[in-house]
Amino acid sequence: MRLYCTDLTSIGSLTREQESWLSQEYYQKSFNKLKTDFFVAVIFSEEHFKAVVSNYQIPSALSPHPYVYFNYFTDQQEALHWLESIEKGQDLAFVSTVS
């Protein structure tokens, strides 16, 4: 299991092309290298988070990957706390039910 935190507060949202590349190429290549599940805490600005929650739609061509788990935050400490709880096994029951 690998844990990552990415802060997008300064760069803003990704383009559809960037999201497509991540989903279609990067995640699979990462999994092939890591050979384990990975957990990603993504930090957005308040405005970006609100926009994502109210407007975001996953393109139908993109399918979720069973080995990468995301959680979205507006606060770095909350994001790191989530990753710490994953590391300690406190959220594994919750994560394993996500499909």
Side-chain angles (χ1 to χ4, degrees):
M1 162 176 60
R2 301 292 176 118
L3 308 174
Y4 299 95
C5 184
T6 184
D7 188 338
L8 299 179
T9 56
S10 61
I11 66 167
S13 61
L14 301 176
T15 66
R16 289 206 187 272
E17 292 79 21
Q18 290 169 321
E19 288 180 2
S20 179
W21 176 80
L22 283 170
S23 182
Q24 294 176 3
E25 295 182 38
Y26 183 75
Y27 298 146
Q28 185 63 51
K29 287 180 182 179
S30 297
F31 180 73
N32 291 344
K33 274 255 197 243
L34 297 172
K35 304 282 191 230
T36 188
D37 292 350
F38 48 102
F39 298 80
V40 183
V42 182
I43 305 168
F44 293 128
S45 67
E46 290 282 342
E47 297 79 26
H48 186 185
F49 185 81
K50 287 176 187 174
V52 168
V53 169
S54 60
N55 299 317
Y56 188 76
Q57 295 180 357
I58 297 174
S60 59
L62 303 180
S63 62
H65 302 287
Y67 46 81
V68 59
Y69 302 93
F70 291 96
N71 205 349
Y72 303 95
F73 301 90
T74 58
D75 180 79
Q76 183 182 35
Q77 291 304 318
E78 289 177 11
L80 295 175
H81 177 73
W82 178 71
L83 291 172
E84 288 171 2
S85 69
I86 294 294
E87 187 174 43
K88 292 177 183 174
Q90 295 174 4
D91 280 355
L92 288 181
F94 169 75
V95 171
S96 66
T97 63
V98 175
S99 55

